[in-house]
Amino acid sequence: AGSAVAIGNGAGSSGQGTSAVAVGNGAGTTSQGSNTTAVGVGAGLTSQGANCVAVGGTAGATNQGINAVAVGFGAGNSGQLDNGIAIGFNAGNSAQQNYAVAIGRTAGQTTQGNSAIAVGYLAGNSIQSSDAVAIGYQTGQFTQGQYGIAIGYQAGRNAQLANTVAIGRSAGITNQGGDGVAIGRQSGN
């Protein structure tokens, strides 16, 4: 396509959009949208939406939505939807929904809901619901409910239900009930 750049074996080989850039073996191989950037082996491999950025091996590899950003190996790898942001190794790796943000190694890795925010290593790692917030190491790590807020080392780590708040080291660490509030070290346990 006009003014597109493709460097690497199979890069930009089928359906590369205008002003798209694909650098690396298999980068932007099929259906790379206009104004996108894919850098790294397999980055933006298939169906990369318009105005996206995928940097790192397999970043934004499959079905990356429009205006999405994936930086780091495996970041936004599969099904990163529109306006999602994934930064870090395997951050937002699978099924990151619209407007979700995952920053840190494996943050928001598997099924991160719409407008959810996960910042820190393993934050919101597995099944973080829409509009949930997890900030800190292992916060909201396993099944964080909608509108849940977890801030601090391992806060709301396992099965934090909807509409809950856990702030502090290990606050609400396991099975924090819906509409619950736990503030302070190991509170709500």
Side-chain angles (χ1 to χ4, degrees):
S3 67
V5 175
I7 301 171
N9 184 31
S13 62
S14 177
Q16 187 179 32
T18 304
S19 300
V21 175
V23 178
N25 289 345
T29 298
T30 306
S31 301
Q32 184 183 29
S34 298
N35 305 309
T36 60
T37 301
V39 178
V41 175
L45 179 72
T46 304
S47 299
Q48 185 182 27
N51 309 312
C52 289
V53 174
V55 178
T58 71
T62 306
N63 299 322
Q64 186 181 31
I66 62 170
N67 305 316
V69 175
V71 178
F73 182 88
N77 176 268
S78 176
Q80 182 185 35
L81 297 186
D82 298 348
N83 305 294
I85 297 172
I87 300 173
F89 176 84
N90 279 339
N93 179 266
S94 176
Q96 184 184 42
Q97 304 301 302
N98 297 303
Y99 301 99
V101 176
I103 299 173
R105 181 183 175 99
T106 65
Q109 183 174 6
T110 305
T111 313
Q112 186 182 29
N114 291 319
S115 302
I117 298 170
V119 179
Y121 177 42
L122 291 168
N125 177 262
S126 179
I127 310 176
Q128 184 184 33
S129 298
S130 296
D131 306 301
V133 176
I135 300 173
Y137 174 71
Q138 294 181 336
T139 57
Q141 184 177 0
F142 304 109
T143 314
Q144 185 181 28
Q146 187 172 21
Y147 307 115
I149 297 172
I151 300 172
Y153 176 87
Q154 295 183 332
R157 182 177 184 203
N158 187 28
Q160 182 186 33
L161 297 183
N163 305 305
T164 55
V165 176
I167 299 174
R169 180 180 178 186
S170 301
I173 192 169
T174 302
N175 299 319
Q176 185 182 18
D179 302 308
V181 175
I183 299 175
R185 183 176 173 266
Q186 297 181 337
S187 60
N189 295 328

